[in-house]
Amino acid sequence: MKILVPIKRVPDPQTNISVKADGSGIVTDNVKFVINPFCEIALEEALRIKENQGGAEVVLVSIGHKVAQEQLRTGLAMGADRAILVLSETELDPAVTASVLKKLVEQESPDLVLLGKQAIDDDANQTGQILAAMLDWPQATFASKVEFSGDKKEVTVTREVDGGLEQVAFALPGIITSDLRLNEPRYASLPGIMKARKKELKEIPLAELAGDAAPRVKTLKLAPPPKRAAGRKVETVQELVNLLHTEAKLI
Amino acid sequence: MATVLVYIEHAHGKLLKSSLVAVRAAQEAAKKAGGDVTALVLGQGIDAIASEVGGYGVKQVVAIDDARLKDYVADLHARAVAHVAKDKGATFVIAAATAQGKDFFPRVAQQLEAGMASDVTALNDDGTITRPTYAGNVLATVSIETPIKVVTVRTTAFEPAQKAGSAAVEKAALPADATSKMRFVSFNETKSDRPALGDATIVVSGGRGLKSGENFQTYLEPLVDALGAAMGASRAAVDAGFVPNDLQVGQTGKVVAPQLYIAVGISGAIQHLAGMKDSKVIVAINKDADAPIFSVADYGLVADLFKAVPEMTDEVKKLKAS
Ligand SMILES: Cc1cc2nc3c(=O)[nH]c(=O)nc-3n(C[C@H](O)[C@H](O)[C@H](O)COP(=O)(O)OP(=O)(O)OC[C@H]3O[C@@H](n4cnc5c(N)ncnc54)[C@H](O)[C@@H]3O)c2cc1C
Ligand SMILES: Nc1ncnc2c1ncn2[C@@H]1O[C@H](COP(=O)(O)O)[C@@H](O)[C@H]1O
């Protein structure tokens, strides 16, 4: 089995994000970048599938600046077999990202593409689904459990949806996107880090794969959201309930 | 004349409130583009829902009643929406940003070769679109560059549509060759008699501070029920297995904006705030006076929740009895 795992480099979820004064982007000075948490979960799942099935190839891909090498190296240290970096200077929309991934799927012929459900920078939640539509593949988004049939040709995925958990099944090849509770990603081990240095990390210019794909959505401006006015502290439960009754008129 | 197509999600034979929110957003889009709204209902045995939607100020309702659409599967539902969108010449296709909308609308967009904006909070007069990014820390203004525009709308950002008129229902058909590569297996529903998170005027959420699922039952649920509220939770509480996954409020869970949001034993990480900071009034109960949740709370109580919450339940009951 071959599994393709697209990972995106994003600001650490713990950092405070602020917008540049001219609204052209976010302030990146002193911001730490990491693998998008959902992609890390997707990678962990791919590694577990590989371990459980006694072999599979896990191929990482990231589209972005050269610095995304760092995240790919981390993924290789976690246990992925090789990595592809598609070099792009500009931020792409999910449709262009998916069209690049489609080209790679055609070249690599994976049985499964495991993505994050959402990148925590653009919060789009689109790429996996668009890719599935481009390939006319089945999809299971928001996965919290992935189980293969005995012959490994079919997969049943438990999905976190409104009101409960849904199960959907399909024959491979297909697309799965990870939710938070799919697994807890491992840390890269020291031997893993050593090994990762020797693993293949191939770079491909965007133009080779994007073809004539043009962004369908343009970001014009970024702005900070309106701030909530500061509230006040109350001393007792009685005071709180009283205020909710008389001032806020909600109870 | 522009046609705005709005997808109507339903469950258990009932129209969802989130669908009425999508209708309202579609009406806004139609007004700005000088067009009208067509609502689309998919499923099996959907006559009642189709005619009900017709009563919410839409020009027309299209219904595809087909056994292949009985259970929700993303690929076939996307095909059906794209099929009707093309047939009607829709230039705007809208759904609510529910789990289902998020799941299959990107597929709809691709089938229409359209650009898509997710979780939209405003359709601006100049045709641009506003949507939150970076866990709500940034508001992005975007423009969709394709002739057809696809959006999912955040359900807290628009009011539900009001009753008006009664539009005719047109039956449409799914192409005969349309099949799914996916098989719906089962749905394990979280049973609850409480209001749904998105529908409630009051939400009480618990966090890791509750320490166990049992404590949710013993301490939080009596307050939730005394207030007639919906119950929510932080990711940490869900991850720890205290409560079911669909109660998670936040950047990657549900977004709520009730009249009153009470956060109990929740620290207030940005990912949590992203899901509740547009609530009208926020109350925080936390023993740590420096917890970030207090920076968004209208009323903050620094206290041990195991003492404060039962007290509050009593006070609320007293007040309601008087
Ligand atoms: C990719 C990603 C996505 C995420 N998405 C979400 C999301 O959608 N929603 C979400 O909520 N989080 C999300 N998170 C997690 C988020 O970063 C926080 O870890 C989480 O919200 C913390 O939950 P908590 O406040 O319950 O727990 P903690 O941060 O541990 O806070 C517990 C609080 O309880 C208080 N407390 C403890 N005991 C008592 C007591 N006896 N009385 C009163 N107070 C007490 C403590 O003072 C503390 O403030 C996400 C994180 C990542 C990386
Ligand atoms: N630039 C990128 N490089 C690699 N993978 C990406 C990129 N952008 C998005 N993805 C993948 O698509 C998922 C969803 O992203 P999004 O649709 O932007 O929310 C991510 O979790 C990644 O798995």
Side-chain angles (χ1 to χ4, degrees), chain A residues 8-213:
Chain A
K8 188 173 189 187
R9 173 185 164 92
V10 299
D12 186 308
Q14 309 301 337
T15 44
N16 282 323
I17 298 295
S18 57
V19 179
K20 282 188 199 158
D22 66 357
S24 65
I26 61 154
V27 177
T28 52
D29 305 341
N30 301 318
V31 171
K32 189 180 150 211
F33 281 81
V34 297
I35 301 177
N36 178 44
F38 288 99
C39 301
E40 214 174 6
I41 295 169
L43 171 56
E44 174 65 33
E45 195 64 19
L47 297 173
R48 290 187 189 187
I49 293 168
K50 175 178 169 170
E51 286 154 7
N52 290 338
Q53 300 198 344
E57 190 185 18
V58 177
V59 183
L60 294 176
V61 50
S62 191
I63 307 159
H65 288 267
K66 199 160 176 104
V67 283
Q69 276 183 350
E70 284 170 33
Q71 281 65 42
L72 289 170
R73 283 283 172 221
T74 304
L76 291 170
M78 283 171 69
D81 296 291
R82 59 188 169 88
I84 301 166
L85 174 56
V86 181
L87 289 165
S88 165
E89 288 301 313
T90 51
E91 181 69 18
L92 310 173
D93 74 336
V96 177
T97 303
S99 68
V100 170
L101 293 175
K102 174 174 179 264
K103 282 275 162 52
L104 285 172
V105 166
E106 285 160 2
Q107 291 176 6
E108 296 279 344
S109 311
D111 303 282
L112 190 62
V113 185
L114 249 164
L115 306 92
K117 82 161 176 184
Q118 140 184 9
I120 60 159
D121 51 1
D122 66 14
D123 283 335
N125 196 334
Q126 294 184 14
T127 307
Q129 297 93 311
I130 295 176
L131 177 63
M134 284 176 171
L135 294 163
D136 192 20
W137 280 12
Q139 72 180 47
T141 56
F142 322 151
S144 64
K145 196 171 185 188
V146 174
E147 295 160 290
F148 287 86
S149 61
D151 63 4
K152 298 169 195 159
K153 293 207 166 102
E154 203 187 68
V155 64
T156 302
V157 179
T158 304
R159 308 180 51 234
E160 293 200 2
V161 298
D162 295 339
L165 295 170
E166 183 197 278
Q167 286 194 310
V168 67
F170 56 77
L172 299 179
I175 305 278
I176 296 175
T177 77
S178 63
D179 215 318
L180 291 170
R181 281 161 285 276
L182 182 56
N183 59 49
E184 234 179 274
R186 71 194 66 189
Y187 292 101
S189 65
L190 199 58
I193 294 168
M194 301 304 284
K195 267 197 234 161
R197 295 197 185 139
K198 296 201 194 77
K199 289 180 180 170
E200 180 187 303
L201 196 167
K202 188 164 92 182
E203 294 183 359
I204 308 177
L206 180 75
E208 257 179 52
L209 294 171
D212 54 4

Side-chain angles (χ1 to χ4, degrees), chain B residues 31-49:
Chain B
K31 199 165 153 202
K32 280 168 188 162
D36 43 48
V37 176
T38 297
L40 172 61
V41 187
L42 305 177
Q44 193 179 27
I46 50 174
D47 289 353
I49 291 165

Side-chain angles (χ1 to χ4, degrees), chain B residues 285-298:
Chain B
I285 302 177
N286 195 306
K287 69 175 180 190
D288 172 8
D290 296 325
I293 190 74
F294 287 121
S295 69
V296 298
D298 299 280

